Amino acid sequence: MKKYRYWILTAATLLIFILWVILVKTVDVVHIKGVGPLGFYNLNTEVFKQTALKIDMDKISKITDILLYSSFLTVAAFGGVGLYQLIKRKSFKKVDPILYVLLGAYVATVLLYFILDLSKINYSPLSVTGNLKTSFPSTHVYICSTYYIVGLITLFKYKKLNTPIKVILMAFVGAMFLTVTILRLYSGRHYLTDIIGSVFLIAATCSAYVAFLNLLKEPFGKK
């Protein structure tokens, strides 16, 4: 059972995400003129009134943009490691397998986001007739958090770090997750249901990444 725990966790979180999408499309749905249907209408509009309308939304949005771009540094860092190994070892086969799985996670995250974006599950609170903006899931919350988390998991696989450093790194990634999640809600670009859906998707993606890592007999290639 222990061997399959991350596959079970992946299936469970993915199922929760799918159920959440169904609820968003069916519970308390109100059609907004010129925009489209909005599920959990009363909850979403009430939270929006209590958060996004009280602050400078554009400034908050720019801060979340910076947080999103910062997560790309993890991609660049591991990409640099992979390129270094390829040049030094002169063979794709000798590049650490874990880096290929990580690359797959990065690509899968973006592809999954675009598929959901094209599905037009929900529209941003800022959408108006003729200028509709999809908002489910939140790009910033999903991609930024996923990239940081899978990057941290990979780093822990590479390095045997002492407990204090591990705690500091986990606290940093946790703080980044909470910050981008809260600020994205306050930016006025998303409804609460968009943010919640992003969190479920993060859990499914990251657990799937660990499940695939556990399939590797040898996470690191031969030099």
Side-chain angles (χ1 to χ4, degrees), residues 14-139:
L14 187 57
L15 178 60
I16 291 172
F17 174 76
I18 293 172
L19 291 174
W20 182 247
V21 172
I22 293 173
L23 291 174
V24 169
K25 300 298 288 184
T26 57
V27 176
D28 190 20
V29 178
V30 173
H31 193 283
I32 300 175
K33 186 177 180 180
V35 177
L38 172 63
F40 289 98
Y41 179 82
N42 287 295
L43 172 64
N44 278 323
T45 53
E46 182 60 31
V47 172
F48 182 77
K49 290 177 183 178
Q50 296 299 322
T51 55
L53 298 182
K54 293 185 176 181
I55 57 176
D56 187 337
M57 295 187 293
D58 289 334
K59 185 177 293 186
I60 294 298
S61 182
K62 289 178 181 178
I63 294 174
T64 59
D65 286 342
I66 294 173
L67 295 177
L68 173 62
Y69 300 149
S70 72
S71 69
F72 297 159
L73 295 176
T74 64
V75 181
F78 285 108
V81 172
L83 181 60
Y84 172 78
Q85 291 181 3
L86 177 61
I87 294 173
K88 184 178 180 180
R89 301 174 186 177
K90 300 178 182 179
S91 173
F92 284 101
K93 292 182 179 180
K94 293 183 179 180
V95 173
D96 292 342
I98 192 174
L99 295 178
Y100 288 118
V101 179
L102 179 61
L103 175 61
Y106 287 147
V107 174
T109 298
V110 174
L111 288 178
L112 187 55
Y113 165 74
F114 277 116
I115 290 172
L116 291 169
D117 188 61
L118 292 173
S119 299
K120 300 178 181 179
I121 295 170
N122 200 17
Y123 291 102
S124 168
L126 301 184
S127 290
V128 294
T129 304
N131 186 26
L132 300 180
K133 302 176 181 179
T134 54
S135 64
F136 187 101
S138 165
T139 314

